[in-house]
Amino acid sequence: MDRSPRPLLVRSLSCVLVLGLVLLGACTGSDTDEAPSPSEQTTASPEPTTPAPPPEADAERILADISHLAETIGPRHGTSEAYGEAADWVEERLTGLGYEVSRQQVDAPAGTTWGVDVPAGDSPNVIADRPGASPTDPHVVVGAHLDTIPVAPGAEDNASGVAVMLELARVVAEAEVPVRFVAFGAEEPRGPGDALHHFGSQQYVAALGDDERAAITAMVALDRVGVPGPEVPICSGDSPNGTIEVRDQLAAAATDGGVPHTVCGGNTTSDHWSFDKAGIPAARLGSIPYAGYHSPQDTVEVVDPAQAGRVAAIMRGWLLENVASP
């Protein structure tokens, strides 16, 4: 019998050849297993991103701003140097939040403010807009008067309103909310009667062109919003040209946020009244009575930051629900 290993060697070489061809095919592919062309490749669509919701209002920030206005600056009647310092500070704060800030001259006459004679002069409104916004674009106005009577540090009246306004400006700075913030000058009376009151807001409304007036869909005044109380007052002016629509929207926002509140009408003692009389929908938050009203005792100690925070929460809800762009 021929026991030569040759047939085994042949078989082994054949196996190596077949294995090599298989491996070569795996590396180079075949006519029927080509890579897809770029036109045939599919790219997964990126997952849509949801913008982060605006931050909640911070009551401690509000209290810090009240302290600055009432303690660092102090009494600031509308034509005083202290009012100018306060206006500069508010402008700096709003500019730092990314707003475009301008000023509007407000001519305040000489007169008597709560028993103290005050000189005539300019008590400017400080106005903050979103970058690129036009006053003829539909928007709301959120305002708070910056002045005090001459003898009062004005923690509640009205550093509380200004501080809540500044916190709202921070909260919605990155949101699509068409809002203009205004720190009004010379709100405090310089004599008896409606004509000698609310100079900043009266002149603001008087200077509006027809298209600018039509662009304001609502106005809210924040005035005395920090003293403790069981509820947040939400009030309308109820002029013959006015409406309770904004008041009711704010009340609905309070209900949705679980904030105790009460509604009232016939409130004419803040800057919303200038808008209400002109037929622009307007309302006011604030006005709980307190012992230090228009006195040197209107200090930081009268303010409850939790109450100011509740007001800010109502306003945040209202701005995001009724004003924010879809």
Side-chain angles (χ1 to χ4, degrees):
M1 176 182 291
D2 185 1
R3 299 181 180 273
S4 171
R6 184 178 178 187
L8 178 60
L9 176 61
V10 171
R11 287 196 300 272
S12 299
L13 289 173
S14 298
C15 290
V16 169
L17 180 61
V18 171
L19 178 60
L21 290 173
V22 170
L23 292 175
L24 181 63
C27 294
T28 61
S30 66
D31 292 341
T32 59
D33 186 24
E34 295 180 353
S37 68
S39 62
E40 295 173 332
Q41 295 176 354
T42 58
T43 302
S45 300
E47 291 292 330
T49 58
T50 302
E56 300 291 336
D58 186 334
E60 293 306 313
R61 287 176 181 267
I62 295 171
L63 184 62
D65 287 344
I66 292 171
S67 298
H68 182 85
L69 285 167
E71 296 180 338
T72 304
I73 298 178
R76 49 197 180 279
H77 76 74
T79 53
S80 65
E81 289 185 8
Y83 180 86
E85 181 182 351
D88 290 344
W89 178 75
V90 168
E91 179 174 352
E92 182 180 352
R93 287 291 306 282
L94 291 167
T95 300
L97 290 170
Y99 293 90
E100 295 179 347
V101 183
S102 60
R103 296 199 186 195
Q104 179 183 38
Q105 180 174 326
V106 174
D107 297 318
T112 301
T113 297
W114 224 252
V116 178
D117 292 338
V118 290
D122 180 24
S123 184
N125 293 331
V126 181
I127 302 169
D129 289 301
R130 298 170 64 209
S134 167
T136 59
D137 296 334
H139 65 280
V140 301
V141 174
V142 175
H145 75 85
L146 183 57
D147 63 316
T148 69
I149 68 164
V151 301
E156 169 68 350
D157 189 14
N158 183 42
S160 65
V162 174
V164 169
M165 183 187 77
L166 290 173
E167 179 62 1
L168 290 169
R170 182 189 73 86
V171 165
V172 302
E174 302 297 326
E176 293 296 317
V177 180
V179 55
R180 167 178 270 194
F181 295 101
V182 184
F184 288 110
E187 188 270 347
E188 296 292 358
R190 295 188 167 225
D194 199 44
L196 294 177
H197 205 181
H198 316 124
F199 294 99
S201 56
Q202 284 201 66
Q203 293 179 33
Y204 181 94
V205 172
L208 293 170
D210 290 344
D211 51 352
E212 294 173 327
R213 184 185 301 252
I216 302 174
T217 59
M219 186 273 175
V220 178
L222 304 170
D223 194 350
R224 291 178 39 214
V225 297
V227 295
E231 299 171 317
V232 173
I234 305 173
C235 301
S236 58
D238 300 343
S239 76
N241 296 324
T243 174
I244 62 172
E245 176 186 4
V246 181
R247 184 193 73 182
D248 290 350
Q249 288 177 352
L250 291 166
T255 298
D256 291 344
V259 179
H261 61 281
T262 184
V263 298
C264 68
N267 187 302
T268 65
T269 56
S270 192
D271 290 306
H272 68 295
W273 180 235
S274 300
F275 291 79
D276 187 276
K277 289 187 297 182
I280 299 170
R284 172 188 180 174
L285 286 174
S287 72
I288 294 175
Y290 67 111
Y293 176 66
H294 278 190
S295 80
Q297 285 69 53
D298 187 1
T299 60
V300 175
E301 288 72 25
V302 307
V303 173
D304 175 14
Q307 178 77 346
R310 286 191 283 270
V311 172
I314 293 172
M315 286 297 298
R316 178 185 182 276
W318 177 71
L319 286 170
L320 296 180
E321 182 64 28
N322 295 280
V323 181
S325 302

